[in-house]
Amino acid sequence: MNIDEDTCEWLGCTTPLEMYKHQCALLEDEISDLQRHLAKARANVAGLVHMNDLLIAGKAAAEEQLRSISSQLSLANVHSSEQSKEIMGLKIIASQNSHLRVENQRLLLELTVLRGPQP
């Protein structure tokens, strides 16, 4: 009786070569799956880079528009300030006109009283 005889085949156990082949097949499946995931991730990154480029361009356009509108608003504020000064001047003139009209009426009344009744 030979005790050194390999008995692993008797019970349906796989040989080392079969285990290596099976391990290689598993690794090949895992590598192909990883390659699919990597390709998908690269496509996602490319999409994100494209979206980022669009956002940067949109941001630049919005900043330019903001500068333009800020400039226009500044000019409108200057114009409004000038008109406000004109309005204040006109109000002062109107007030003076009203005061002079009242004073003129008062002086006319005094003159009429001093002259007396006209025949």
Side-chain angles (χ1 to χ4, degrees):
M1 198 159 131
N2 188 358
I3 296 178
D4 291 333
E5 194 175 322
D6 191 11
T7 60
C8 62
E9 292 179 12
W10 294 356
L11 301 174
C13 293
T14 58
T15 64
L17 179 62
E18 290 173 333
M19 288 187 338
Y20 291 138
K21 285 181 179 180
H22 179 68
Q23 185 66 28
C24 284
L26 290 174
L27 287 173
E28 286 174 353
D29 288 343
E30 189 174 341
I31 288 171
S32 66
D33 188 43
L34 287 173
Q35 285 176 337
R36 281 192 304 273
H37 285 293
L38 181 61
K40 185 177 178 183
R42 284 181 177 158
N44 287 342
V45 168
L48 290 173
V49 167
H50 180 68
M51 287 171 50
N52 187 48
D53 291 341
L54 292 175
L55 289 173
I56 288 172
K59 179 184 174 222
E63 286 174 342
E64 179 59 35
Q65 187 177 12
L66 177 63
R67 280 190 292 275
S68 173
I69 289 173
S70 293
S71 174
Q72 291 174 3
L73 181 60
S74 178
L75 290 174
N77 283 338
V78 168
H79 183 69
S80 173
S81 177
E82 290 171 357
Q83 285 183 340
S84 178
K85 288 177 186 176
E86 284 183 35
I87 289 171
M88 288 304 295
L90 291 174
K91 283 184 177 180
I92 290 171
I93 291 171
S95 173
Q96 290 173 348
N97 185 19
S98 176
H99 174 72
L100 290 174
R101 186 174 292 135
V102 168
E103 187 65 21
N104 190 22
Q105 290 297 322
R106 186 187 63 78
L107 289 173
L108 279 174
L109 183 61
E110 281 183 22
L111 184 64
T112 308
V113 168
L114 287 176
R115 285 189 188 164
Q118 293 293 325

